[in-house]
Amino acid sequence: MTFPWYGITTNWSPVGSDVNSAVDILVMVLYLLLVLGIGLWTILSRSRGTVEEFFLAGRNLAWWQIGASLFASNIGTSHFMGLAGTAATSGIAVGAFEWNAPFLLCVVGWIFSPIYIKAGVVTMPEYLRKRFGGCRIQFLLAVLYLFLYIFNSISVEICTGAIFMRMVLGLDVYLTTIALLTITGIYTITGGFAAVVYTDTLHAGIMVLGSVLLMVFAFKEVGGYQELLSNYLNTKPSIIHEGNWTAKPECYLPRLDSFHIFRDPITGDLPWPGIVFGISIISLYYWCTNQIFVQRCLAGKNMSHVKGGCVLCGYLKLLPMFSIVMPGMISRILYP
Ligand SMILES: *[C@@H]1O[C@H](CO)[C@@H](O)[C@H](O)[C@H]1NC(C)=O
């Protein structure tokens, strides 16, 4: 397999590359059709005449829609690849990024959302204009957000999605990218926020179900949590790259602190002060002032539904430690 757009060329062939049975392809096609169908159904059935209807789905979302949508906009292919991959490399500490979220979700539900809702805004740049006056901050933030979303969020999600499609079906990366962007673009632009939330709810269900199934199969395969504990630290890669053959064992053996979340501030790869304070600061931006999540909170029926949505998403965010991070670690044992 080659990844020419990374400037990396390897002949590494992933474990699942022989997924090309008719049933697998049928499932994927059905899934794509289902997403498109939900998008089209929303386009045809919901009115989108006003700003509130288009951007906030008429402010009529129930708590389970808000929670599922928050979760689905946060978790994506980048999580399934990034979390699991980092877990395989360095253990459970990366799961702290997930377990930090419930606290910040409470902050957005109880402190930030009421302020935004009271201010009667639809977007974050609009809030800053109301708060500080003038148009320069609003303009700057709008441009900054566009830049950040395109180069930071969307490109990562689309890239990992395309890599996944390539691994599983052998599809061309550029073709997949264009197809994903077109499908998403069509139902987002024409269906408005309601279409996004309805497809998000489907995605959240599929991701929770899929990752929990994966977890069950992974733990069954490896023989349980005790086996994971005792085998992970001894896994050695079956091929140690030529460039590394003189390398010290630290370079290819798992870290001794793999099963610790709070790691040494000097020698840890994810030092605990960063886990406690660093992630919280990033997450404060990410969950509380980020248009993606704020918009979902603003679209709630009333404050009870907004808070309920945040709580639901907080509970769902406890899952990835078990359903994504640990299967990633198990993959290192099963496929050394
Ligand atoms: C919000 O709406 C629900 C019904 O959907 C109602 O039971 C609840 O009391 C409302 N909460 C507030 C704060 O108005």
Side-chain angles (χ1 to χ4, degrees):
M1 174 167 291
T2 57
F3 294 110
W5 69 97
Y6 279 165
I8 299 172
T9 312
T10 75
N11 286 321
W12 172 67
S13 164
V15 185
S17 62
D18 55 354
V19 181
N20 49 21
S21 78
V23 179
D24 293 327
I25 294 176
L26 190 70
V27 167
M28 289 209 192
V29 171
L30 279 181
Y31 165 72
L32 274 180
L33 288 180
L34 191 61
V35 173
L36 259 184
I38 291 182
L40 284 176
W41 173 72
T42 325
I43 293 171
L44 296 176
S45 66
R46 306 269 308 211
S47 72
R48 303 174 301 281
T50 68
V51 170
E52 290 228 325
E53 280 166 353
F54 188 81
F55 282 108
L56 297 178
R59 289 197 195 259
N60 201 23
L61 296 187
W63 60 275
W64 54 273
Q65 288 171 313
I66 300 174
S69 186
L70 286 171
F71 184 70
S73 357
N74 170 238
I75 303 274
T77 34
S78 59
H79 278 69
F80 282 92
M81 293 206 163
L83 276 187
T86 311
T89 318
S90 100
I92 64 169
V94 70
F97 281 88
E98 303 304 299
W99 281 2
N100 186 274
F103 302 105
L104 275 303
L105 277 161
C106 292
V107 174
V108 68
W110 269 261
I111 299 176
F112 281 75
S113 299
I115 295 175
Y116 297 144
I117 289 173
K118 202 145 219 177
V121 295
V122 174
T123 66
M124 286 306 297
E126 192 185 353
Y127 175 75
L128 286 194
R129 191 195 65 213
K130 286 205 166 167
R131 174 69 181 77
F132 296 107
C135 282
R136 279 179 300 173
I137 293 184
Q138 181 185 17
F139 182 74
L140 178 69
L141 190 70
V143 172
L144 187 66
Y145 271 158
L146 276 181
F147 186 82
L148 280 176
Y149 291 148
I150 292 172
F151 291 97
N152 177 5
S153 323
I154 299 176
S155 49
V156 173
E157 293 296 338
I158 294 285
C159 176
T160 44
I163 294 177
F164 171 77
M165 294 296 270
R166 180 179 170 128
M167 281 180 168
V168 174
L169 296 174
L171 294 179
D172 181 67
V173 168
Y174 298 102
L175 195 74
T176 318
T177 304
I178 291 171
L180 289 176
L181 283 176
T182 311
I183 294 177
T184 317
I186 287 176
Y187 75 72
T188 307
I189 295 169
T190 55
F193 190 57
V196 176
V197 171
Y198 287 136
T199 47
D200 270 358
T201 310
L202 171 75
H203 287 149
I206 287 181
M207 285 193 294
V208 169
L209 191 73
S211 60
V212 167
L213 277 179
L214 173 75
M215 174 184 74
V216 171
F217 283 125
F219 271 108
K220 223 172 161 180
E221 189 74 25
V222 83
Y225 184 69
Q226 284 306 324
E227 293 296 309
L228 170 64
L229 268 184
S230 53
N231 289 342
Y232 180 78
L233 291 178
N234 303 319
T235 52
K236 225 184 252 174
S238 54
I239 303 168
I240 296 167
H241 193 274
E242 306 92 69
N244 266 347
W245 70 275
T246 52
K248 294 183 212 140
E250 296 99 276
C251 295
Y252 56 85
L253 285 180
R255 302 176 55 87
L256 288 176
D257 56 6
S258 289
F259 285 92
H260 291 268
I261 288 182
F262 297 107
R263 299 182 177 180
D264 192 280
I266 310 289
T267 60
D269 56 343
L270 290 163
W272 70 259
I275 291 279
V276 175
F277 303 109
I279 296 179
S280 301
I281 293 171
I282 303 170
S283 294
L284 190 68
Y285 153 72
Y286 187 83
W287 290 104
C288 302
T289 70
N290 190 339
Q291 179 68 29
I292 297 176
F293 301 106
V294 167
Q295 197 168 355
R296 279 148 181 86
C297 292
L298 294 184
K301 273 184 198 163
N302 62 28
M303 266 328 288
S304 316
H305 281 278
V306 173
K307 290 172 183 169
C310 292
V311 170
L312 172 65
C313 181
Y315 274 111
L316 289 176
K317 289 288 281 177
L318 299 177
L319 271 179
M321 175 68 101
F322 308 103
S323 63
I324 301 179
V325 170
M326 287 184 180
M329 297 173 75
I330 290 173
S331 74
R332 185 164 175 158
I333 302 174
L334 296 181
Y335 309 105

